[in-house]
Amino acid sequence: MKTLNEIAKATKVTQWIGPTDVPVSLLVSDSRKAISGTLFIAVKGTKVDAHDFIPQVIEKGCTAIIAERVVDVPPHVTLLVVPNSALALGELAHAFYDYPSQSLELVGITGTNGKTTTTTLLHDLYTELGYKVGLISTVVNLIGKEAIPSTHTTPDPIALNALLADMVAQGCSYCFMEVSSHAVSQHRIAGLVFRGGAFTNITHDHLDYHGTFKAYIEAKKTFFDELEKGAFALVNADDKNGMVMVQNTKAKVSTFALKTHADFKVKVLENSFSGLLLTMNGIELWTRLIGDFNAYNIATVYGISQLLGSDSTEVLTVLSKLEAVDGRFQFTKSETDITAVVDYAHTPDALENVLKTIENIRTRNEQVITVVGCGGDRDALKRPEMARIACELSDKVILTSDNPRTEDPAEILKQMEAGVGAHQSMKVLSILDRDQAIKTAVSLAQPKDIILIAGKGHEKYQEINGVKHPFDDFDVVKNYFTKLKK
């Protein structure tokens, strides 16, 4: 069992009131989880201030408190005052779990799009290379091949460090981790030691949380600012903010690109539904992944592998065998030769990338029918832009519900419809029920047509008024395909 004196060395303490050799059996930031022997870290959130719950956790037997201000505690309870409780939570969690990131090759991937595909491909690559590997992603967390359900892109600091400690205990050598802008700004990764980090791209997203695009960029940049001198920083040189990310980093900077000069340069030779033919630094590579956006993901993966010191030939051989990630340009065909593509594209840039990929593959003898919605309780500014892009790059568009959460789905659709030009309205339908929207797309499609179902990707649910109802875009469209006759 750890003592408070041991783990408190990991963070800055401005005031210490009470005993020092207090045993700590558990760290919590949620007052409902406090029990006897708990160290409670009172974090001030956007909606709730955990300082208000300090009396309740003391009643439950909590023996030590971390807070940002002096509060009344009984003589047997120790109070530590820190400048920033959220930062202290990450640092203390890392110490409590014996600094697990120091025993792993931990690599963080940040950016608006591509994080899940890149981390998953890295996990699969290094597994094929013979290592036991950890994965922390939006879709799932993995220790080797054991799946642990994922609730956030980046878990809270206590869950995150517990997961990393399990990876160490089970013999993982590497861990590849999505690093969200929320995680950086909320100090969820505080205290962790990264072997390196990569930046995929940055586009319009999460302004509901960050407020401005500048603040969103700064959150991503902070990840690179805090990398240590011995780490690497790999950035997308084609993104105008790529080099901005590494302006103040102490890490060794490398680049990847499709369009400009870079340390890891990829060129697309062929792009079809069967895959991509690329050159990677002049070496030819065939991959089952599709689209320019996946060419960037592959370049990121290859670059990281080289910065980690892996053999180039072995890496390229394995990359040619890897499959697409669930819900990321995942496609199926009907017996009547209609293609359906399911993709997680939920930002304007991601939607445009997917539709442009389809545009590059299509023969112009078919229709592109796009089914798309926007999530509730998220950035509303992107809603008309998503509809505008869908209209510009599709022959028919069906606007529908995504995860409305606590918002009125009809109001979300109304905001999307504002992006539909008068000259485009004839090719747009608004169907609130997502199942019916997909059914309608299938009924409108003719042989050779391509249906894009965007926004939810891998998700197996639809969240309405706080309740998650089972729903899988891929299963729904396959079900309607089986009902078609030749």
Side-chain angles (χ1 to χ4, degrees):
M1 184 181 291
K2 297 285 191 305
T3 66
L4 182 60
N5 197 38
E6 283 180 289
I7 64 173
K9 294 174 184 177
T11 195
K12 181 180 180 181
V13 177
T14 57
Q15 201 167 351
W16 190 307
I17 302 169
T20 58
D21 252 358
V22 181
V24 176
S25 59
L26 182 70
L27 260 63
V28 297
S29 58
D30 184 339
S31 61
R32 295 167 294 184
K33 297 179 181 178
I35 58 174
S36 179
T38 297
L39 169 60
F40 177 68
I41 299 95
V43 178
K44 187 175 181 180
T46 55
K47 297 179 180 178
V48 178
D49 186 350
H51 290 77
D52 297 336
F53 299 98
I54 289 174
Q56 287 95 314
V57 299
I58 291 173
E59 285 181 11
K60 291 182 176 182
C62 183
T63 51
I65 306 289
I66 302 288
E68 291 181 3
R69 58 180 183 267
V70 175
V71 295
D72 290 332
V73 296
H76 69 280
V77 175
T78 297
L79 173 69
L80 275 63
V81 180
V82 297
N84 186 318
S85 293
L87 177 63
L89 173 60
E91 293 170 338
L92 293 169
H94 196 222
F96 183 78
Y97 286 100
D98 291 321
Y99 306 95
S101 68
Q102 295 181 8
S103 300
L104 291 163
E105 296 275 24
L106 177 63
V107 178
I109 314 297
T110 195
T112 305
N113 302 310
K115 297 188 298 296
T116 300
T117 297
T118 301
T119 52
T120 304
L121 289 174
L122 282 162
H123 172 273
D124 295 349
L125 167 64
Y126 276 84
T127 300
E128 287 296 315
L129 290 175
Y131 299 96
K132 190 163 187 178
V133 186
L135 171 69
I136 300 173
S137 81
T138 304
V139 177
V140 69
N141 299 322
L142 294 172
I143 301 177
K145 295 183 179 179
E146 177 194 355
I148 297 112
S150 175
T151 56
H152 293 80
T153 301
T154 312
D156 71 78
I158 297 170
L160 174 56
N161 280 278
L163 182 59
L164 291 172
D166 283 346
M167 290 177 185
V168 173
Q170 294 188 44
C172 289
S173 303
Y174 296 88
C175 175
F176 301 105
M177 170 183 172
E178 290 188 48
V179 177
S180 68
S181 56
H182 292 67
V184 177
S185 60
Q186 294 171 7
H187 303 290
R188 288 187 224 160
I189 59 171
L192 299 185
V193 178
F194 286 88
R195 175 69 178 83
F199 166 74
T200 58
N201 51 66
I202 192 161
T203 60
H204 189 114
D205 201 15
H206 300 307
L207 299 196
D208 55 312
Y209 177 80
H210 294 287
T212 66
F213 190 54
K214 182 181 179 183
Y216 180 40
I217 291 171
E218 284 299 319
K220 298 284 189 190
K221 181 178 178 297
T222 299
F223 171 58
F224 295 97
D225 291 347
E226 295 177 355
L227 290 176
E228 297 184 354
K229 189 176 180 181
F232 65 79
L234 177 65
V235 297
N236 181 353
D238 286 342
D239 189 292
K240 64 182 180 181
N241 287 298
M243 298 312 294
V244 171
M245 292 291 147
V246 291
Q247 282 176 347
N248 304 111
T249 191
K250 297 182 288 293
K252 180 186 175 183
V253 176
S254 297
T255 57
F256 66 92
L258 269 70
K259 301 173 184 175
T260 59
H261 175 76
D263 298 300
F264 304 103
K265 180 67 182 286
V266 63
K267 184 178 180 181
V268 177
L269 302 179
E270 292 180 19
N271 184 16
S272 68
F273 274 119
S274 58
L276 284 166
L277 180 62
L278 312 168
T279 57
M280 182 70 66
N281 282 2
I283 303 171
E284 198 165 285
L285 167 69
W286 172 260
T287 171
R288 299 177 188 181
L289 278 68
I290 302 162
D292 285 356
F293 58 93
N294 270 321
Y296 279 109
N297 293 331
I298 293 164
T300 313
V301 170
Y302 179 75
I304 289 170
S305 74
Q306 298 311 288
L307 294 168
L308 287 172
S310 299
D311 180 80
S312 174
T313 303
E314 288 184 12
V315 167
L316 291 172
T317 301
V318 174
L319 282 177
S320 68
K321 302 174 184 176
L322 297 183
E323 302 281 353
V325 178
D326 284 352
R328 270 65 176 179
F329 214 92
Q330 186 178 12
F331 70 94
T332 184
K333 281 199 171 192
S334 73
E335 290 186 8
T336 56
D337 202 23
I338 300 167
T339 300
V341 177
V342 172
D343 195 89
Y344 188 53
H346 62 286
T347 66
D349 183 68
L351 182 62
E352 184 174 3
N353 284 338
V354 172
L355 283 167
K356 284 186 174 178
T357 292
I358 293 171
E359 182 72 15
N360 290 337
I361 294 173
R362 66 184 294 197
T363 64
R364 306 298 187 279
N365 294 318
E366 67 287 282
Q367 298 183 102
V368 174
I369 304 170
T370 296
V371 179
V372 64
C374 288
D377 302 333
R378 298 293 187 269
D379 184 3
L381 294 176
K382 67 184 179 183
R383 293 170 185 172
E385 182 69 2
M386 295 279 283
R388 182 190 67 77
I389 290 167
C391 288
E392 285 187 359
L393 297 172
S394 312
D395 298 292
K396 288 187 175 73
V397 176
I398 302 175
L399 303 179
T400 190
S401 183
D402 190 282
N403 291 317
R405 299 183 177 90
T406 64
E407 282 195 69
D408 179 357
E411 182 60 29
I412 296 173
L413 249 64
K414 185 178 178 182
Q415 293 175 23
M416 291 188 74
E417 288 166 354
V420 179
H423 64 291
Q424 297 169 325
S425 59
M426 293 297 291
K427 67 178 182 181
V428 179
L429 294 173
S430 290
I431 302 175
L432 205 57
D433 184 274
R434 192 173 181 91
D435 185 282
Q436 286 300 309
I438 295 171
K439 180 181 180 181
T440 301
V442 173
S443 67
L444 291 173
Q446 300 296 316
K448 306 293 183 184
D449 286 353
I450 302 167
I451 301 169
L452 170 64
I453 306 168
K456 289 173 53 58
H458 64 280
E459 293 175 348
K460 309 298 182 187
Y461 62 85
Q462 188 173 28
E463 187 176 342
I464 304 170
N465 289 324
V467 179
K468 290 185 175 181
H469 304 270
F471 196 95
D472 185 322
D473 283 352
F474 199 69
D475 284 349
V476 169
V477 74
K478 285 206 310 184
N479 177 54
Y480 285 122
F481 274 0
T482 60
K483 297 177 181 179
L484 294 175
K485 293 182 180 179
K486 285 186 178 181

